[in-house]
Amino acid sequence: YRGDRQTYDDMKNADLLSVIERRKGLPVALAVPYLAAARGLDTKLVGLAFPGHFLMRIEGARERTIIDPFNDGREIGAGQLRRLIKQLQGAQAELQPAFFEPVSARAVLIRLLMNSRLRAERSGALDRAIEFSRRMILIAPQDARLWADFAELHAERGNLAAAADAFEHSIACAPDEPFRAAATDALDRVRRALN
């Protein structure tokens, strides 16, 4: 399994069945077979919260090794990690401890679906993007940001009643007051458009 550098933005690179069949894809899609194999071998392997490029960590008895599923599962050292974060976020970016926190299986699936949703949205396939958002909500129904994204897609598509309903769910799950206020403003905007 390896990264698809030639057709990186191809939808097949985020479709798990296509990735398994083609043996190439996006970093997070490639991580899924790694995680399944590790579980079968009773090896501790976790996905990391590294932004913009999915990385994994093998947890040994005395050491930890970070690997890159996109680059043939090769080990990636501290210097390479620094270069990667600067490449992804700009010259001023620095490594943060939060980037190396393990993520849940649910978070891996959300990240995989988010890749598909973004590709569908960029290609103008809004109905398909809405479907990927719906799937993410099924996996994480209490995630206010997923509800807000779902609402925005519906609003863009002209499905204003569905957008209003999704914004209401987003408000109900809001993690803090600033988020709640922004979602409430968006809901008011949609309701005005409905009238």
Side-chain angles (χ1 to χ4, degrees):
Y1 288 89
R2 60 186 47 181
D4 183 353
R5 287 181 172 76
Q6 283 70 42
T7 56
Y8 188 84
D9 286 324
D10 189 324
M11 287 293 291
K12 292 178 188 167
N13 287 328
D15 179 298
L16 196 51
L17 293 176
S18 292
V19 168
I20 290 169
E21 182 180 290
R22 296 165 61 235
R23 302 179 64 88
K24 61 183 179 178
L26 298 175
V28 68
L30 294 168
V32 174
Y34 275 83
L35 290 166
R39 188 171 292 128
L41 296 170
D42 201 27
T43 299
K44 179 101 168 145
L45 179 68
V46 296
L48 300 178
F50 200 86
H53 188 85
F54 198 80
L55 299 173
M56 308 177 83
R57 183 174 60 224
I58 300 171
E59 312 244 341
R62 284 173 281 190
E63 65 181 48
R64 296 172 164 185
T65 303
I66 295 176
I67 63 169
D68 183 352
F70 191 76
N71 290 299
D72 304 318
R74 290 189 191 129
E75 181 177 350
I76 183 167
Q80 293 166 302
L81 290 166
R82 283 187 198 93
R83 284 190 295 279
L84 180 58
I85 198 62
K86 288 179 185 304
Q87 176 187 342
L88 292 168
Q89 295 189 339
Q92 303 305 315
E94 296 295 337
L95 295 173
Q96 306 292 324
F99 298 169
F100 302 99
E101 289 294 319
V103 296
S104 67
R106 178 177 295 186
V108 173
L109 287 175
I110 293 291
R111 196 159 166 173
L112 180 62
L113 287 167
M114 183 62 77
N115 273 294
S116 295
R117 195 212 88 184
L118 292 171
R119 279 165 173 69
E121 191 175 3
R122 277 196 298 259
S123 72
L126 282 181
D127 289 336
R128 194 169 163 132
I130 288 169
E131 176 57 24
F132 286 123
S133 281
R134 188 190 69 75
R135 291 177 189 178
M136 286 187 276
I137 287 169
L138 289 173
I139 295 168
Q142 297 303 313
D143 190 319
R145 285 171 180 79
L146 293 179
W147 279 108
D149 287 347
F150 191 49
E152 291 291 352
L153 286 170
H154 272 298
E156 188 176 342
R157 185 72 175 91
N159 305 332
L160 299 181
D165 182 61
F167 275 127
E168 287 172 0
H169 278 89
S170 179
I171 292 164
C173 302
D176 53 44
E177 189 50 43
F179 185 93
R180 185 175 291 107
T184 300
D185 288 346
L187 175 59
D188 290 344
R189 181 193 66 204
V190 167
R191 283 182 174 155
R192 282 193 304 274
L194 269 169
N195 293 328

